[in-house]
Short mmCIF file of all heavy atoms in Angstrom, two decimals:
data_model
loop_
_atom_site.label_atom_id
_atom_site.label_comp_id
_atom_site.label_asym_id
_atom_site.label_seq_id
_atom_site.Cartn_x
_atom_site.Cartn_y
_atom_site.Cartn_z
N ARG A 1 33.08 115.59 -25.71
CA ARG A 1 32.70 114.41 -26.49
C ARG A 1 31.48 113.76 -25.85
O ARG A 1 31.47 113.49 -24.64
CB ARG A 1 33.86 113.42 -26.54
CG ARG A 1 33.64 112.22 -27.44
CD ARG A 1 34.87 111.34 -27.47
NE ARG A 1 34.65 110.16 -28.29
CZ ARG A 1 35.03 108.94 -27.96
NH1 ARG A 1 35.67 108.72 -26.80
NH2 ARG A 1 34.79 107.92 -28.76
N ALA A 2 30.44 113.52 -26.64
CA ALA A 2 29.19 112.99 -26.11
C ALA A 2 29.37 111.64 -25.44
O ALA A 2 28.68 111.31 -24.47
CB ALA A 2 28.15 112.91 -27.22
N ALA A 3 30.30 110.82 -25.93
CA ALA A 3 30.54 109.50 -25.36
C ALA A 3 31.37 109.55 -24.09
O ALA A 3 31.63 108.52 -23.48
CB ALA A 3 31.24 108.61 -26.40
N GLY A 4 31.79 110.74 -23.70
CA GLY A 4 32.63 110.91 -22.53
C GLY A 4 34.03 111.29 -22.91
O GLY A 4 34.52 110.95 -24.00
N GLY A 5 34.68 112.03 -22.05
CA GLY A 5 36.03 112.50 -22.36
C GLY A 5 36.00 113.66 -23.33
O GLY A 5 35.03 114.40 -23.43
N LEU A 6 37.07 113.79 -24.09
CA LEU A 6 37.26 114.94 -24.97
C LEU A 6 37.71 114.49 -26.35
O LEU A 6 38.23 113.39 -26.52
CB LEU A 6 38.33 115.88 -24.38
CG LEU A 6 38.09 116.40 -22.96
CD1 LEU A 6 39.35 117.08 -22.43
CD2 LEU A 6 36.91 117.35 -22.92
N ILE A 7 37.51 115.37 -27.32
CA ILE A 7 38.12 115.24 -28.65
C ILE A 7 39.11 116.39 -28.76
O ILE A 7 38.84 117.50 -28.29
CB ILE A 7 37.07 115.29 -29.78
CG1 ILE A 7 37.73 115.18 -31.17
CG2 ILE A 7 36.21 116.55 -29.71
CD1 ILE A 7 37.96 113.81 -31.64
N MET A 8 40.27 116.12 -29.35
CA MET A 8 41.32 117.13 -29.43
C MET A 8 41.98 117.11 -30.80
O MET A 8 41.99 116.08 -31.48
CB MET A 8 42.39 116.89 -28.36
CG MET A 8 41.90 116.94 -26.93
SD MET A 8 43.28 116.61 -25.80
CE MET A 8 42.48 116.86 -24.21
N ALA A 9 42.54 118.25 -31.17
CA ALA A 9 43.45 118.32 -32.31
C ALA A 9 44.84 118.58 -31.74
O ALA A 9 45.09 119.63 -31.15
CB ALA A 9 43.05 119.43 -33.27
N THR A 10 45.72 117.60 -31.86
CA THR A 10 47.02 117.61 -31.18
C THR A 10 48.16 117.68 -32.19
O THR A 10 47.94 117.71 -33.42
CB THR A 10 47.19 116.33 -30.34
OG1 THR A 10 47.51 115.23 -31.22
CG2 THR A 10 45.92 115.99 -29.57
N ALA A 11 49.37 117.64 -31.68
CA ALA A 11 50.55 117.61 -32.56
C ALA A 11 50.59 116.35 -33.40
O ALA A 11 51.28 116.30 -34.43
CB ALA A 11 51.83 117.72 -31.72
N HIS A 12 49.87 115.32 -32.98
CA HIS A 12 49.81 114.07 -33.74
C HIS A 12 48.41 113.84 -34.33
O HIS A 12 47.97 112.70 -34.47
CB HIS A 12 50.23 112.90 -32.86
CG HIS A 12 51.67 112.95 -32.44
ND1 HIS A 12 52.08 113.49 -31.25
CD2 HIS A 12 52.80 112.57 -33.09
CE1 HIS A 12 53.40 113.42 -31.17
NE2 HIS A 12 53.86 112.87 -32.27
N GLY A 13 47.74 114.93 -34.66
CA GLY A 13 46.46 114.83 -35.34
C GLY A 13 45.28 114.76 -34.37
O GLY A 13 45.39 115.10 -33.19
N PHE A 14 44.16 114.29 -34.90
CA PHE A 14 42.94 114.20 -34.10
C PHE A 14 43.03 113.01 -33.15
O PHE A 14 43.52 111.93 -33.51
CB PHE A 14 41.72 114.04 -35.01
CG PHE A 14 41.42 115.27 -35.82
CD1 PHE A 14 41.89 115.40 -37.13
CD2 PHE A 14 40.68 116.31 -35.27
CE1 PHE A 14 41.61 116.53 -37.88
CE2 PHE A 14 40.41 117.45 -36.02
CZ PHE A 14 40.87 117.57 -37.32
N ALA A 15 42.54 113.22 -31.92
CA ALA A 15 42.62 112.17 -30.91
C ALA A 15 41.51 112.37 -29.89
O ALA A 15 41.03 113.50 -29.68
CB ALA A 15 43.97 112.19 -30.21
N THR A 16 41.10 111.29 -29.24
CA THR A 16 40.19 111.39 -28.11
C THR A 16 40.99 111.23 -26.82
O THR A 16 42.05 110.62 -26.80
CB THR A 16 39.08 110.33 -28.17
OG1 THR A 16 39.68 109.02 -28.24
CG2 THR A 16 38.19 110.54 -29.39
N TRP A 17 40.44 111.77 -25.74
CA TRP A 17 41.09 111.71 -24.42
C TRP A 17 40.16 111.02 -23.44
O TRP A 17 38.97 111.38 -23.34
CB TRP A 17 41.42 113.11 -23.92
CG TRP A 17 41.95 113.16 -22.52
CD1 TRP A 17 41.25 113.36 -21.37
CD2 TRP A 17 43.32 112.98 -22.12
NE1 TRP A 17 42.07 113.33 -20.28
CE2 TRP A 17 43.36 113.11 -20.71
CE3 TRP A 17 44.51 112.74 -22.81
CZ2 TRP A 17 44.54 112.99 -19.99
CZ3 TRP A 17 45.68 112.63 -22.09
CH2 TRP A 17 45.70 112.76 -20.71
N ASP A 18 40.68 110.03 -22.75
CA ASP A 18 39.93 109.26 -21.76
C ASP A 18 40.41 109.66 -20.37
O ASP A 18 41.58 109.49 -20.03
CB ASP A 18 40.16 107.76 -21.99
CG ASP A 18 39.32 106.87 -21.09
OD1 ASP A 18 38.81 107.36 -20.05
OD2 ASP A 18 39.17 105.68 -21.41
N PHE A 19 39.50 110.19 -19.54
CA PHE A 19 39.90 110.61 -18.20
C PHE A 19 40.20 109.43 -17.29
O PHE A 19 40.97 109.57 -16.33
CB PHE A 19 38.81 111.49 -17.58
CG PHE A 19 38.82 112.90 -18.08
CD1 PHE A 19 37.89 113.33 -19.00
CD2 PHE A 19 39.79 113.79 -17.64
CE1 PHE A 19 37.90 114.64 -19.48
CE2 PHE A 19 39.82 115.10 -18.12
CZ PHE A 19 38.86 115.53 -19.03
N ALA A 20 39.62 108.27 -17.56
CA ALA A 20 39.87 107.10 -16.72
C ALA A 20 41.32 106.64 -16.84
O ALA A 20 41.94 106.23 -15.84
CB ALA A 20 38.92 105.97 -17.09
N THR A 21 41.87 106.70 -18.04
CA THR A 21 43.24 106.23 -18.26
C THR A 21 44.24 107.38 -18.43
O THR A 21 45.45 107.15 -18.41
CB THR A 21 43.31 105.35 -19.52
OG1 THR A 21 42.92 106.15 -20.66
CG2 THR A 21 42.36 104.16 -19.40
N CYS A 22 43.70 108.61 -18.62
CA CYS A 22 44.53 109.77 -18.92
C CYS A 22 45.44 109.48 -20.11
O CYS A 22 46.66 109.72 -20.09
CB CYS A 22 45.35 110.19 -17.70
SG CYS A 22 44.36 111.02 -16.44
N GLN A 23 44.82 108.97 -21.18
CA GLN A 23 45.56 108.64 -22.39
C GLN A 23 44.79 109.07 -23.63
O GLN A 23 43.55 109.17 -23.62
CB GLN A 23 45.82 107.13 -22.47
CG GLN A 23 46.81 106.62 -21.45
CD GLN A 23 47.12 105.14 -21.65
OE1 GLN A 23 46.38 104.42 -22.31
NE2 GLN A 23 48.22 104.68 -21.07
N PHE A 24 45.55 109.30 -24.70
CA PHE A 24 44.98 109.59 -26.00
C PHE A 24 44.67 108.29 -26.75
O PHE A 24 45.38 107.30 -26.60
CB PHE A 24 45.96 110.38 -26.87
CG PHE A 24 46.16 111.80 -26.48
CD1 PHE A 24 47.41 112.26 -26.06
CD2 PHE A 24 45.11 112.71 -26.54
CE1 PHE A 24 47.62 113.58 -25.72
CE2 PHE A 24 45.30 114.04 -26.20
CZ PHE A 24 46.55 114.47 -25.79
N THR A 25 43.65 108.34 -27.58
CA THR A 25 43.46 107.38 -28.66
C THR A 25 43.57 108.17 -29.95
O THR A 25 42.72 109.02 -30.24
CB THR A 25 42.10 106.67 -28.58
OG1 THR A 25 42.02 105.93 -27.36
CG2 THR A 25 41.91 105.72 -29.77
N TYR A 26 44.62 107.92 -30.72
CA TYR A 26 44.85 108.71 -31.93
C TYR A 26 43.97 108.19 -33.06
O TYR A 26 43.81 106.98 -33.24
CB TYR A 26 46.32 108.67 -32.31
CG TYR A 26 47.18 109.39 -31.30
CD1 TYR A 26 47.85 108.69 -30.30
CD2 TYR A 26 47.28 110.77 -31.31
CE1 TYR A 26 48.63 109.35 -29.36
CE2 TYR A 26 48.05 111.45 -30.37
CZ TYR A 26 48.73 110.73 -29.39
OH TYR A 26 49.48 111.39 -28.46
N LEU A 27 43.43 109.12 -33.84
CA LEU A 27 42.44 108.77 -34.86
C LEU A 27 42.97 108.96 -36.28
O LEU A 27 42.96 108.04 -37.06
CB LEU A 27 41.18 109.63 -34.65
CG LEU A 27 40.56 109.53 -33.24
CD1 LEU A 27 39.46 110.56 -33.05
CD2 LEU A 27 40.03 108.12 -32.98
N VAL A 28 43.44 110.15 -36.60
CA VAL A 28 43.96 110.42 -37.94
C VAL A 28 44.85 111.65 -37.86
O VAL A 28 44.58 112.59 -37.11
CB VAL A 28 42.81 110.64 -38.96
CG1 VAL A 28 41.94 111.83 -38.57
CG2 VAL A 28 43.35 110.81 -40.37
N HIS A 29 45.95 111.62 -38.62
CA HIS A 29 46.89 112.74 -38.65
C HIS A 29 47.07 113.17 -40.10
O HIS A 29 47.87 112.60 -40.84
CB HIS A 29 48.23 112.34 -38.05
CG HIS A 29 49.17 113.48 -37.84
ND1 HIS A 29 48.86 114.79 -38.15
CD2 HIS A 29 50.45 113.51 -37.33
CE1 HIS A 29 49.87 115.57 -37.86
NE2 HIS A 29 50.85 114.83 -37.37
N PRO A 30 46.33 114.19 -40.54
CA PRO A 30 46.34 114.55 -41.96
C PRO A 30 47.62 115.22 -42.43
O PRO A 30 47.86 115.31 -43.63
CB PRO A 30 45.16 115.51 -42.09
CG PRO A 30 45.02 116.12 -40.74
CD PRO A 30 45.39 115.03 -39.78
N GLU A 31 48.46 115.71 -41.50
CA GLU A 31 49.66 116.44 -41.91
C GLU A 31 50.91 115.87 -41.25
O GLU A 31 51.83 116.60 -40.87
CB GLU A 31 49.49 117.93 -41.62
CG GLU A 31 48.30 118.54 -42.38
CD GLU A 31 48.21 120.05 -42.26
OE1 GLU A 31 49.03 120.64 -41.53
OE2 GLU A 31 47.33 120.64 -42.90
N ALA A 32 50.95 114.56 -41.14
CA ALA A 32 52.10 113.90 -40.51
C ALA A 32 53.40 114.17 -41.27
O ALA A 32 54.49 114.08 -40.69
CB ALA A 32 51.85 112.39 -40.42
N ASP A 33 53.29 114.50 -42.55
CA ASP A 33 54.47 114.76 -43.37
C ASP A 33 54.89 116.22 -43.35
O ASP A 33 55.78 116.63 -44.10
CB ASP A 33 54.21 114.32 -44.81
CG ASP A 33 53.05 115.09 -45.44
OD1 ASP A 33 52.19 115.63 -44.69
OD2 ASP A 33 52.96 115.14 -46.68
N GLN A 34 54.27 117.04 -42.48
CA GLN A 34 54.57 118.47 -42.41
C GLN A 34 54.85 118.86 -40.96
O GLN A 34 54.02 119.49 -40.30
CB GLN A 34 53.40 119.28 -42.96
CG GLN A 34 53.05 118.95 -44.41
CD GLN A 34 51.85 119.71 -44.91
OE1 GLN A 34 51.90 120.93 -45.08
NE2 GLN A 34 50.75 119.00 -45.13
#
């Protein structure tokens, strides 16, 4: 990710990863019902 950290596709949809906090920020989950 250009802004730092990573972008991921996870079990809970798209999310960014921050190495400073070692946490996800969840963005959108297009298949939460599946």
Side-chain angles (χ1 to χ4, degrees):
R1 186 178 178 223
L6 304 169
I7 179 86
M8 299 179 176
T10 77
H12 294 95
F14 292 96
T16 56
W17 174 266
D18 185 342
F19 281 103
T21 62
C22 286
Q23 290 185 342
F24 287 117
T25 298
Y26 292 98
L27 305 171
V28 61
H29 189 1
E31 299 188 356
D33 61 338
Q34 301 177 68

